[in-house]
């Protein structure tokens, strides 16, 4: 049974992308939504969120139903 929560600071991914001076076509992030989200991103983001939690201020969201 998957579980988790509050252990990852997703904002660090965006910081790393900026520090590396790379330009990915897209960044896909799988999360349970219990995380601080970045306010903006240097590249397009797709969030795959496994709960009803979290409302990222940037990027596109795909909700994954873990019960199916």
């Amino acid at each position: 049974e998957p579980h988790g929560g509050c252990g990852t600071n997703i904002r660090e991914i965006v910081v790393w992308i900026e520090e590396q001076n790379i330009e990915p076509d897209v960044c896909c992030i799988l999360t349970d939504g219990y995380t601080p989200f970045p306010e903006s991103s240097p590249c397009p983001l797709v969030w795959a969120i496994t709960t009803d939690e979290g409302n990222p201020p940037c990027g596109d969201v795909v909700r994954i139903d873990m019960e199916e």
Side-chain angles (χ1 to χ4, degrees):
E1 183 72 24
H3 67 279
C6 299
T8 304
N9 182 350
I10 298 295
R11 295 176 298 196
E12 292 301 315
I13 295 170
V14 173
V15 170
W16 184 86
I17 290 170
E18 290 174 332
E19 287 176 351
Q20 299 303 309
N21 198 30
I22 59 174
E23 297 180 17
D25 293 330
V26 65
C27 179
C28 299
I29 301 170
L30 176 65
T31 179
D32 58 11
Y34 294 96
T35 184
F37 293 100
E39 292 298 318
S40 63
S41 174
C43 66
L45 295 176
V46 175
W47 301 95
I49 302 178
T50 60
T51 66
D52 291 331
E53 296 298 316
N55 227 357
C58 60
D60 295 315
V61 175
V62 176
R63 299 283 175 178
I64 298 173
D65 184 353
M66 297 301 288
E67 298 298 319
E68 289 188 7

